Amino acid sequence: MRLVIAEDNALLREGLVLLLTSAGHDVVAVVGTGPEVLPALLAHRPDVAVLDVRMPPDFRDEGLRAALAARKQIPGLPVLVLSQYVEESYAAELLGGGAGGLGYLLKDRVGRVDEFLDALERVAAGGTALDPEVVTELLTRRRDSPLDSLTPREREVLKLMAEGHDNATIAGALVVTERAVHKHIGNVFLKLGLPPSDSGHRRVLAVLTYLNNQGGRVERP
């Protein structure tokens, strides 16, 4: 697939290029500052954009802003955002549009090559890939919400759903049948007051949108 990489750290940037080209992908553009991101995405219209959240000149949310702007001009552009820390507000804003092809990973995840490449493939295919630590934050910070009514097993299923895993993978991780997973997912949707659809990435996005809009926004550091 064709990729644009936006990362200001030269070592990580070159590492990403080497990793992705070695995996058979085509890196069509590499940029290191916020103002360069959107023009590169519009010029190359890649299959996936891999973007750092905080970039020069201000090191705030330049990469995220560029990603959101690009998806307005290129609807459905798959974006995999990388961040140094768990920043819930960034994940919430990225997912707030209610469309697929989105990922939010901690940079440490890049070192786990198989996990990173798997997440990239899921995002490129229109799915989602949320870092497990981000999902944990989303699940544990909510108070006085319908999440409190979920059983421990249902919370495990919801967490794996939010990471972007399909029913077969969830069943394998929890050592249960796919039928049991399907039943748990139905219970989760029922308790959260969501449509009972269990198809594709829409179920994940619905859950994440619900979670991200409970209890108000989290202030950025």
Side-chain angles (χ1 to χ4, degrees), residues 3-7 12 16 37 41 48-55 60-71 77-96 100-110 115-116 119-120 122-124 127-132 134 220:
L3 301 108
V4 167
I5 297 174
E7 168 60 54
L12 179 56
L16 283 168
V37 178
L41 294 177
V48 185
V50 181
L51 310 175
D52 187 7
V53 170
R54 299 184 178 190
M55 300 185 68
R60 292 184 61 82
D61 58 0
E62 288 82 0
L64 180 69
R65 296 285 131 230
L68 295 173
R71 281 175 66 91
L77 171 69
V79 172
L80 178 59
V81 169
L82 302 178
S83 180
Q84 189 70 41
Y85 310 103
V86 176
E87 296 171 305
E88 183 183 338
S89 60
Y90 292 145
E93 189 155 7
L94 182 67
L95 292 159
L102 292 169
Y104 186 98
L105 298 181
L106 297 183
K107 290 184 177 180
D108 288 348
R109 201 69 54 184
V110 177
E115 290 184 30
F116 174 69
L120 189 69
R122 289 206 305 271
V123 170
T128 56
L130 277 200
D131 195 283
V134 175
R220 294 177 185 161

Side-chain angles (χ1 to χ4, degrees), residues 3 5 15-25 27 50 116-117 120:
L3 301 108
I5 297 174
L16 283 168
V17 172
L18 179 61
L19 170 62
L20 293 169
T21 54
S22 297
H25 301 303
V27 178
V50 181
F116 174 69
L117 293 177
L120 189 69

Side-chain angles (χ1 to χ4, degrees), residues 85-89 91 106 131-143 147 155 159 211-212 218:
Y85 310 103
V86 176
E87 296 171 305
E88 183 183 338
S89 60
L106 297 183
D131 195 283
E133 291 189 37
V134 175
V135 178
T136 298
E137 288 289 330
L138 291 172
L139 290 175
T140 58
R141 289 187 183 183
R142 304 309 184 193
R143 295 292 182 267
L147 287 175
R155 291 174 73 89
K159 181 177 185 295
L211 295 176
N212 290 334
V218 176

Side-chain angles (χ1 to χ4, degrees), residues 174-205:
L174 300 179
V175 195
V176 298
T177 65
E178 287 190 50
R179 182 176 181 180
V181 171
H182 182 80
K183 181 178 179 180
H184 287 311
I185 290 173
N187 290 337
V188 168
F189 279 113
L190 180 65
K191 291 178 180 180
L192 297 185
L194 296 168
S197 172
D198 182 20
S199 59
H201 65 267
R202 289 185 178 87
R203 63 181 189 160
V204 180
L205 292 168

